[in-house]
Each structure stands twice: as C-alpha cells, then as structure tokens.
Amino acid sequence: RLSLEAAAFYSNYDDIQMFRLDSSNLGSVDNGGDARVRGIDAAVDWQATDQLRLQLSGNISDSEIVSLAPGVLAVVEGDAIDYTTDYAVNASGTYSFTWGAALPGFVRLDYNRIGPSHVTDRSIPEPILYESEVNDFVNVRIGMEWNRWSIELYGLNLTNEDRLQDPNGGYGFGA
C-alpha cells in the first residue's frame, strides 16, 4: 500500500509581531508590518511488506517581510520572518516482528534534518543577521506489546548532534 500526500500553502499576515532589543538591551514585542509565508508539505508512506513500513516527509517554506510599519528599523522588506525554518526532512523505517507467542514487536529507525531558521534585528548598532545551523538527527526505537501494555527502549540523537537550532543564538541566549 502506498500513500502520497502533498499540500501547498500561502499565508498573509497583517501587523506581524516582532521581538526586538533596544539600545539598553531591553526587549519588546511590536507590530512590525506585513509578511507572507509560502511553501509545500509532502509525505510518502509505503507499506512495502507485511513487516516493513517506510515513510518520507518534508517541507520547504519561504517567509518574507513584505511591508513595514512606520518607524520599524529592525528589518527591511525581503528579510525572513524570525523563527521560520527553511526546510525539514524526515525519513523512517519500521520493521514489525514477533518476540514470541503473542508478543508483537518492532524496531524503528528515524533520520531528521532540520534546516536553518533566522533572527534579524537591524535596529541596534551592530545588527543581528543570524541563521541557525542545520541539524541532522538519527533516532532508534525498539519495543513490544503485551495485552494493552507496550514497552519501548529508544535512543535519541545517536550521532550526538550538538548544534544550535534556536535562532535566539543571534541574541546570545539560544539553546
């Protein structure tokens, strides 16, 4: 069985909220102007055999400030909207099997790639034009079910990625 899904999106935002630092490093949230986001989401789900299921999904998005409210200095038209991610991809495979009599089990392997996200603040003496790093994650799960109970053992971030994804790193306090 093969399943395909796709969606295109286009969103307009009036008076989009923006976080900014002033010259004394105090933050505020202000209406910054108008923006738009457009992109594509897609997913493929394939039950290759009775035991093997493969999945692939992802998205690509493009965000942009299209007009500015009077007095906004933090961004210029064409800048990306803060905290938006350019793309993300997920690939996974799940293999189902039987541990023993009436003990169904599974093992699942996931790969995730999260593209860069952005923070922009041109209103301070040294402008912040920050783009986070790309992160790749590999995760694995193994489990079994018994009656209405399930037990799973999982490992996350097996490649020990330690890159900054939160674009607040542009302000020096991202995690």
Side-chain angles (χ1 to χ4, degrees), residues 9-69:
F9 58 90
Y10 186 95
S11 300
N12 286 314
Y13 296 91
D14 296 327
D15 296 325
I16 191 163
Q17 301 285 294
M18 295 182 189
F19 174 76
R20 296 292 161 239
L21 293 175
D22 64 21
S23 59
S24 62
N25 283 332
L26 294 176
S28 65
V29 176
D30 302 310
N31 291 332
D34 299 337
R36 65 126 181 92
V37 180
R38 61 183 172 198
I40 298 170
D41 292 329
V44 177
D45 187 339
W46 181 33
Q47 188 73 45
T49 69
D50 287 342
Q51 284 97 8
L52 181 62
R53 182 178 185 180
L54 302 172
Q55 296 171 301
L56 177 65
S57 62
N59 68 61
I60 298 171
S61 61
D62 176 45
S63 70
E64 181 178 15
I65 304 295
V66 294
S67 67
L68 299 173

Side-chain angles (χ1 to χ4, degrees), residues 1 4 19 25 41 43 51-53 55 74 76 99 103 112 127 143 157-158 161-164:
R1 190 180 132 228
L4 303 169
F19 174 76
N25 283 332
D41 292 329
Q51 284 97 8
L52 181 62
R53 182 178 185 180
Q55 296 171 301
V76 296
W99 289 100
L103 286 175
N112 301 288
N157 192 17
L158 298 180
E161 280 285 323
D162 191 20
R163 295 192 179 117
L164 187 63

Side-chain angles (χ1 to χ4, degrees), residues 100-115:
L103 286 175
F106 71 92
V107 63
R108 178 182 173 101
L109 180 67
D110 292 304
Y111 167 76
N112 301 288
R113 172 168 265 213
I114 302 170

Side-chain angles (χ1 to χ4, degrees), residues 43 46 133-134 172 175:
W46 181 33
E133 299 178 76
V134 173

